[in-house]
Amino acid sequence: MERKLIYRKQMEQLLPFRNVGASGLKMSTLGIGTWLNFSKSEDHRPIIQAAIERGLCHFDTADMYGALPGWSETLLGDTLSGISRSSYVLSTKVHARVGKWPNDAGLSRKHVMESCSKSLSRLKTDYVDIYYCHRYDPDTPLEETMDALATLKNQGKILYVGISMWPAEAIRQFARLAQEARVQIVANQVQYNVLQRPETEVLDICRETGIGLVAYSPLAQGLLSGKYRGQAQKHSRGMISYRNKWMKKITDDPTKMTALERYFDVCDSAGLDYISVAIGWLLAQDNVASALCGFSSKEQFEQTIRGIGDQLPTGLIEEVNALPDWATLNTQPDENEGKGAVYAVDSP
């Protein structure tokens, strides 16, 4: 009896999981992303071990993450080495420029096939669960990209396909091609938080086609956590010039910072901490399977998961819904507007 009670308590502490879109694939509602936090040769195993012990089973990377292309994949592969492959969901991405030659970027068959093989080698695995097309490639026919992905699926190198930050109409066309090729597009990885939300048309198409949402930047690179409200820590991302260029697009805009303060006021009035509200609100949104966070310490991880599973009051969700989207407050022209191959906003 005592052993059963202990087991039950352990189960109650585990992170919840959800199906990804209309697929049978399940992942924890919180995942670990490796955009910036897996960029140094340090021991990441304590964080990974703490995460797995709490039921986190979703790890995301990309071929372009890290100090050099492939660096984050290598670090993640080393860190996950020895952990049962069936116990976690692993995803990586293809599209960004990773070399100097013409075919070292994009979604051509040549680049997709070659990049997948290199990613698998760096990750020390035979397959990835979700292979994301990191951005839309206007220079390659969608049919060519889908044919390459179908080949990889038939070879057993990828199980599912994902997309990230694609325009709505391209998603619709790609979903039709996937159905014809018997390939499952299960996830759209989108920038999604209380002040940065996907277009309604994108949300509608994903719902219609059975594509689930995996949210990156759920804390807006830490801005929603409140840690930059006062004096930020010396080594935090916001204090490092080569890492904070995306963040400064927000912090240098008084209108957007006013909206951020409104978010803090809503949380303060409810008597809830900023992280719990941000993650809770996101996971309450329709079709969201998981939120990806980057953690630099076990303490940061524990702080983030503290409120997961707690249901926010309906009135609070409605108050957060009423906050403006930062995109509607864009007072600074985006120099990369319309450039399909450029990572113009939060890069993950």
Side-chain angles (χ1 to χ4, degrees), residues 309-322:
D310 296 340
Q311 193 167 4
L312 296 180
T314 302
L316 177 59
I317 292 177
E318 291 174 351
E319 283 191 78
V320 177
N321 288 344

Side-chain angles (χ1 to χ4, degrees), residues 294-333:
F295 303 105
S296 58
S297 68
K298 288 173 61 177
E299 292 73 23
Q300 219 177 56
F301 168 72
E302 293 293 341
Q303 183 183 18
T304 302
I305 69 170
R306 188 168 51 202
I308 289 184
D310 296 340
Q311 193 167 4
L312 296 180
T314 302
L316 177 59
I317 292 177
E318 291 174 351
E319 283 191 78
V320 177
N321 288 344
L323 294 173
D325 187 325
W326 272 332
T328 67
L329 303 174
N330 190 13
T331 58
Q332 301 174 359

Side-chain angles (χ1 to χ4, degrees), residues 1-12:
M1 176 65 73
E2 184 179 355
R3 183 176 297 176
K4 288 183 178 179
L5 287 174
I6 293 173
Y7 178 72
R8 186 174 299 155
K9 286 183 180 179
Q10 289 174 339
M11 290 299 292
E12 288 171 354

